[in-house]
Amino acid sequence: MSDYLLQLEDVHTYIGLAHILRGLSLALRPGEAVALLGRNGEGKTPTIKTIMSLLPPRQGRVRFRGEDITGAPTHQVAGMGICVVPKGRHIFPALTVMEHLRVPVVKKPHRREDLLKQAFAIFPELAERKNQPARSLSGGQQQMLVIARALMTKPRLLLLDEPMEGLAPVAVKRVIESMKAVKDEGITVFFASASCERALAVAGRVYIIEKGRIVYQGSSAELMAAPEVQQRHLGVRE
Amino acid sequence: MTSLIITQILNGVTIGLIFALVAIGLTIVMGLMEVVNFAHGSFYMFGGYITFFVFSAVGSFWLGLVVAPVVCAVLGLGLYYAIIRPLRKRHPLEPLVALVGVAMICRQLIRNIWGADPKLLPIPFGRVQFSVAGVELTYPIYFFVVMGVAVAALLGLYILFRKSDVGIRCLAAIQDRDTAMSMGVNVDRIGSLMLVIVMGVAGLAGGLVGPIFSVYPTMGLELIGLLFVIAIVGGLGSIGGAVIAGVTIAMTKSISSIFVSGNVSDILAYCVLLVILLIRPRGIMGLATVME
Amino acid sequence: MSLSPRFRLLLGAVILAMILLPWLGQPYLVYLLTLSMIFGIFALAYDLLYGFTGLVSFGHSVFYGMPAYAVGMVAVTVFKYPNPVVMIAAAMFSGLLLGCLIGFVCTFARGIYMALITFAFAQICELLVMHDPWGITQGENGIMGVRAAPITLGGLKLDLFAGVGLYYLVLGLIIVSYLVIRLLVNSPLGDVLKGIKQNEHRLLSLGYNPRPYKVAAFGLSGMFAGLAGAMAVFLNNSVVPSLVDWSVGAEILLITIMGGAGTLIGPVAAAFLIIFAESYASAYLGGGNWVYVMGGLYIAVVMFLPGGIFRTKYLKKAFA
């Protein structure tokens, strides 16, 4: 059993003919909260999708808890303990809050009733709106819903793709709180973010991706102390 | 005249419910597996012929109505494993070609076994006399029975989709396949289960229609065009939508058949389809409001 | 996609064989080949729209059958003027016009919805033709006795619109159509069309408006399909509603996919394959049993030759 929870080894991913990830490597230890930073279009979402096997790599390996999961069907990856909060939330527009929480497959020995109770405890605003259609919720509430939805699979690794994007500051605070709560539960958190400042509020460690490759890694403290790195890789392009 | 109109309204409701039953199968498969199933009409046809076969062998139409959905469900499973599953990673039009081939073979099979002439099943029960809106009518009881069975089947499907885990996951997968899979839902397995169920329902519909229109080898082929109209106008994945669209279209056809030729009402139906496809491709009930 | 020298040689040999073939004196074979070439032109038209521009049409029978009716109307029911040049022009023009019109409507929808729009149009057209509100299409029976007057070139009477004459005409037309479409596809216009297929968003960001190009693709496809339709009328001397039936559109879709979308040659070859298979199967198998062969062929090709006959690895050697 390896030291790492998740490893991406020299991953090359293509979308059609476009070479999106070009030799991407990263590793996560259990219990960490790690951010993937980068400008839009540099490969953050494809990285998340590759881990989730929604975009299987053409080359390279994905290892979870030491096991090679490259190319495994997505629902199996979810069964092994990885779940995702997709970019743009991706609610099921026609389903109610409660129905959303019934979709995820609950692994034994957990019981759905217990997990529901936990979810409603962390997100009381969802408990109040159990039978409301998801599309009538506010942006922030929808974000809570999709986080709660992902947590129903009791993952070891929670992936979030730009969870704070497009939300009012109050909602962003809520998201940060819930991400910290998830981390405190012992769940490893890996999230993509275009905003450095917000990410550093949660993450202990960061990777920066540029043109499909990791160009920087370090602790949050190190990055905060290196504004020239931030400017070079995350600043507005000339 | 009024009694004629009322009769046609009742006919429209009956036929529309049957069409909706078959169209639902099409929309579920299209929404869930992104496969345009041109062989769907074949299962409707098989349902009719199996019912006829049981009736002519054993003498019981009702037994036929029970056997037909079961056989069609099994055949649906066969279709899944033989054609749909192996081709699921292909460009969506390739399974379509294969399914057209399947439909052709099925029609010919039926022709070889039973011949090309329509087989009429006798209508059970007699007629009933009643008055509505001050007009005296006689109407076949069987049509009311069909309405009842269809409604029961539709209710069953509704409960399946809205109340059961499998159904909710199916709806989720229709709306967002990737996200559903990320939640651990095995969309392929759900797809096969749904396929089996809807094929059984289509077979039931084919059997029910036997005493009304008789069964003939091109009954599925003739219907497939209208099925697409109903499926799209109603909205992919929507039971309520399929019912509304099916009944509306069937009623339009039956009422307008009093005044104009059949072709004109079909033209109208397709014009409606065009308008819907352009303005609101998600259909009446759309994927935004999958059911009621 | 250019053809390898070896394949060009093969193609040349085939064309030579086809030129010499009528000397064998087998009229049925000539008929079958003419029909195959007609479907070949139709398939080229379809591949232009589907294989290169990536637009799926379930209703292509409209562009085949309605121009056929235009021919019938010009020659018999409306203008009573069976001049072959006018007839062919009418067919190609109506194909172009219908293509642009339907194509324009289609640009407001995507994917399967767009395909179903074409399907709806096909159904409506067939119903209109059968209903015959203006008495010009002769309803279910269709228009009979459509014959083009032979052309006189410098004292020589050439009957290019029946029998062997038609065979050579269609042979010439399919070669020309192929070359024209090849040219189109490799031109800057073709690049835009391929861009629509591959990545429309990218195209938009590059400053292209896809709409007029989609309409153009539909129009051109309709024009060539109309040409095929006109030839079909000459072949059978009649125009019937089944020419507009959606099953014709389905068949050409099948042929294109089976042959290999986007290869141009593939769909043409597949047209020959399907027409001949159908003919021989129905000759040798009693009753309707030839359907088993055809259905089985469709299933087998899809299962075992992914991407179509001309996209399999073995045949990739044929391409440079």
Side-chain angles (χ1 to χ4, degrees):
Chain A
M1 206 47 119
S2 162
D3 208 14
Y4 295 104
L5 184 68
L6 177 77
Q7 290 157 281
L8 261 58
E9 293 165 13
D10 196 34
V11 164
H12 290 260
T13 301
Y14 290 74
I15 299 184
L17 293 168
H19 194 173
I20 301 286
L21 297 181
R22 302 156 177 253
L24 183 97
S25 298
L26 54 85
L28 305 174
R29 280 200 186 76
E32 288 193 280
V34 179
L36 180 67
L37 302 174
R39 297 191 194 93
N40 288 327
E42 299 293 335
K44 301 193 296 294
T45 299
T47 305
I48 303 264
K49 285 194 169 173
T50 294
I51 300 175
M52 205 62 218
S53 214
L54 288 168
L55 208 56
R58 203 182 282 189
Q59 255 177 274
R61 307 270 112 210
V62 180
R63 284 186 215 284
F64 185 64
R65 301 174 74 202
E67 225 183 291
D68 187 348
I69 64 168
T70 320
T74 302
H75 68 271
Q76 247 176 40
V77 172
M80 287 188 232
I82 308 182
C83 201
V84 66
V85 178
K87 179 170 176 174
R89 293 182 276 282
H90 281 239
I91 57 165
F92 302 119
L95 298 186
T96 65
V97 168
M98 192 62 195
E99 285 167 347
H100 268 75
L101 301 176
R102 286 179 69 178
V103 171
V105 177
V106 176
K107 299 188 295 269
K108 307 191 209 319
H110 305 287
R111 295 181 340 145
R112 184 185 284 151
E113 306 86 69
D114 302 333
L115 293 175
L116 282 173
K117 238 187 271 176
Q118 285 178 23
F120 288 135
I122 309 179
F123 302 106
E125 61 263 78
L126 294 179
E128 290 163 27
R129 297 174 171 78
K130 260 186 238 179
N131 293 315
Q132 252 184 271
R135 64 180 183 281
S136 66
L137 299 177
S138 73
Q141 290 161 348
Q142 285 182 359
Q143 192 69 48
M144 299 299 124
L145 175 59
V146 297
I147 295 178
R149 178 180 68 185
L151 291 175
M152 290 296 288
T153 64
K154 214 64 182 135
R156 289 178 197 267
L157 170 63
L158 182 65
L159 307 169
L160 300 102
D161 196 350
E162 308 226 25
M164 303 174 234
E165 187 192 34
L167 293 180
V170 174
V172 172
K173 241 180 77 181
R174 253 333 244 117
V175 172
I176 294 180
E177 271 168 26
S178 48
M179 284 170 74
K180 287 189 179 158
V182 165
K183 175 166 175 274
D184 291 337
E185 289 255 337
I187 300 177
T188 311
V189 174
F190 182 63
F191 65 104
S193 179
S195 156
C196 179
E197 191 191 311
R198 291 170 171 182
L200 293 179
V202 182
R205 200 158 62 89
V206 302
Y207 284 99
I208 301 186
I209 186 173
E210 199 172 278
K211 291 201 188 6
R213 219 180 261 125
I214 299 292
V215 295
Y216 175 88
Q217 51 173 302
S219 74
S220 305
E222 283 166 17
L223 183 64
M224 270 196 284
E228 72 285 355
V229 176
Q230 294 182 36
Q231 179 55 38
R232 194 187 327 144
H233 297 297
L234 305 173
V236 177
R237 267 208 199 89
E238 276 91 55
Chain B
M1 177 52 98
T2 329
S3 72
L4 189 57
I5 292 184
I6 297 180
T7 307
Q8 293 298 66
I9 292 180
L10 289 172
N11 286 351
V13 171
T14 312
I15 301 298
L17 285 173
I18 290 187
F19 286 173
L21 277 179
V22 189
I24 285 170
L26 204 64
T27 89
I28 295 294
V29 171
M30 269 209 281
L32 201 52
M33 294 192 261
E34 293 163 348
V35 164
V36 182
N37 187 6
F38 269 93
H40 197 68
S42 305
F43 288 82
Y44 171 71
M45 178 185 67
F46 277 136
Y49 272 92
I50 291 168
T51 311
F52 172 75
F53 172 68
V54 171
F55 169 74
S56 49
V58 174
S60 168
F61 170 68
W62 302 107
L63 183 64
L65 271 188
V66 169
V67 171
V70 173
V71 175
C72 287
V74 171
L75 288 173
L77 196 64
L79 184 74
Y80 176 75
Y81 279 111
I83 306 270
I84 297 185
R85 189 152 198 276
L87 296 177
R88 74 191 182 288
K89 292 207 166 59
R90 307 281 196 89
H91 189 281
L93 283 187
E94 292 191 27
L96 189 149
V97 173
L99 287 166
V100 170
V102 168
M104 290 171 74
I105 291 180
C106 289
R107 268 198 305 281
Q108 187 55 31
L109 207 61
I110 295 287
R111 257 187 229 120
N112 281 357
I113 302 178
W114 279 288
D117 303 319
K119 303 283 183 210
L120 187 58
L121 282 144
I123 282 200
F125 313 130
R127 304 177 82 91
V128 72
Q129 231 173 343
F130 58 94
S131 65
V132 102
V135 178
E136 282 273 326
L137 275 182
T138 57
Y139 197 70
I141 299 180
Y142 177 66
F143 278 55
F144 288 119
V145 172
V146 170
M147 284 188 221
V149 172
V151 169
L154 288 165
L155 270 172
L157 284 172
Y158 178 79
I159 294 176
L160 175 72
F161 278 110
R162 225 59 226 236
K163 305 292 174 199
S164 75
D165 276 356
V166 167
I168 292 180
R169 286 180 184 148
C170 177
L171 288 183
I174 292 179
Q175 290 171 76
D176 193 331
R177 187 173 218 266
D178 279 354
T179 305
M181 283 204 290
S182 308
M183 300 297 128
V185 175
N186 187 344
V187 178
D188 283 336
R189 175 124 21 101
I190 291 202
S192 62
L193 178 66
M194 287 300 147
L195 189 72
V196 166
I197 292 176
V198 298
M199 290 314 186
V201 169
L204 176 68
L208 283 172
V209 121
I212 302 180
F213 289 133
S214 69
V215 295
Y216 48 98
T218 52
M219 63 195 269
L221 180 65
E222 278 177 9
L223 192 59
I224 198 98
L226 265 175
L227 285 180
F228 276 115
V229 177
I230 296 173
I232 298 292
V233 170
L236 287 189
S238 166
I239 290 185
V243 171
I244 295 179
V247 172
T248 310
I249 288 177
M251 271 211 287
T252 312
K253 277 180 65 100
S254 58
I255 294 178
S256 60
S257 69
I258 305 178
F259 307 107
V260 292
S261 79
N263 285 341
V264 177
S265 49
D266 279 343
I267 293 180
L268 279 172
Y270 284 109
C271 287
V272 171
L273 174 64
L274 266 179
V275 170
I276 298 277
L277 282 169
L278 287 169
I279 302 182
R280 197 188 156 86
R282 290 189 164 172
I284 304 175
M285 307 295 274
L287 275 170
T289 4
V290 173
M291 274 180 258
E292 273 87 344
Chain C
M1 193 177 280
S2 53
L3 303 174
S4 73
R6 203 182 341 164
F7 195 76
R8 279 187 219 199
L9 212 64
L10 179 66
L11 210 56
V14 168
I15 294 180
L16 190 63
M18 293 206 41
I19 295 178
L20 296 174
L21 203 116
W23 262 271
L24 285 176
Q26 299 254 17
Y28 186 60
L29 185 60
V30 170
Y31 172 83
L32 273 188
L33 285 170
T34 312
L35 185 62
S36 303
M37 288 191 288
I38 290 176
F39 267 79
I41 298 178
F42 193 14
L44 284 171
Y46 196 83
D47 201 17
L48 176 65
L49 189 66
Y50 173 64
F52 286 94
T53 321
L55 299 172
V56 183
S57 159
F58 282 163
H60 235 61
S61 56
V62 171
F63 309 120
Y64 180 76
M66 296 308 278
Y69 268 95
V71 172
M73 289 196 278
V74 162
V76 177
T77 57
V78 179
F79 294 107
K80 301 196 179 33
Y81 185 56
N83 178 311
V85 175
V86 174
M87 288 157 82
I88 296 178
M92 289 180 77
F93 182 71
S94 55
L96 178 68
L97 194 66
L98 275 171
C100 290
L101 274 168
I102 294 181
F104 181 71
V105 172
C106 280
T107 53
F108 293 99
R110 322 196 134 272
I112 179 96
Y113 299 118
M114 190 196 80
L116 288 170
I117 288 180
T118 60
F119 177 77
F121 271 112
Q123 295 285 72
I124 291 176
C125 284
E126 188 185 7
L127 288 164
L128 272 175
V129 148
M130 288 215 280
H131 187 67
D132 201 4
W134 299 292
I136 50 177
T137 59
Q138 318 280 56
E140 264 182 46
N141 297 320
I143 307 177
M144 296 290 152
V146 185
R147 237 166 266 276
I151 300 183
T152 332
L153 273 181
L156 209 72
K157 217 180 184 196
L158 287 171
D159 190 3
L160 287 176
F161 307 101
V164 174
L166 182 64
Y167 172 84
Y168 282 118
L169 176 66
V170 179
L171 179 62
L173 284 173
I174 193 174
I175 293 175
V176 169
S177 303
Y178 173 76
L179 290 171
V180 169
I181 295 183
R182 263 293 291 284
L183 225 77
L184 222 82
V185 158
N186 290 327
S187 73
L189 169 67
D191 287 337
V192 179
L193 296 183
K194 286 182 227 170
I196 293 178
K197 177 179 184 185
Q198 273 170 21
N199 193 342
E200 221 176 298
H201 288 297
R202 196 88 176 286
L203 212 66
L204 279 163
S205 69
L206 285 169
Y208 285 95
N209 178 4
R211 177 160 294 152
Y213 291 98
K214 287 183 182 175
V215 173
F218 261 99
L220 288 165
S221 182
M223 189 177 80
F224 282 100
L227 177 64
M231 295 299 129
V233 176
F234 293 142
L235 187 66
N236 293 316
N237 295 120
S238 66
V239 191
V240 288
S242 61
L243 286 175
V244 200
D245 190 57
W246 73 269
S247 61
V248 173
E251 193 162 5
I252 206 68
L253 169 84
L254 295 182
I255 286 176
T256 305
I257 292 184
M258 273 184 64
T263 60
L264 289 184
I265 288 284
V268 173
F272 279 76
L273 173 66
I274 297 288
I275 302 268
F276 273 81
E278 238 179 71
S279 166
Y280 284 107
S282 56
Y284 286 111
L285 294 172
N289 291 334
W290 60 273
V291 173
Y292 292 125
V293 171
M294 295 311 295
L297 190 63
Y298 289 145
I299 297 175
V301 170
V302 172
M303 291 290 226
F304 301 119
L305 295 173
I309 299 174
F310 267 73
R311 280 192 188 279
T312 57
K313 290 202 179 72
Y314 176 72
L315 276 157
K316 275 214 156 53
K317 284 196 259 164
F319 296 97

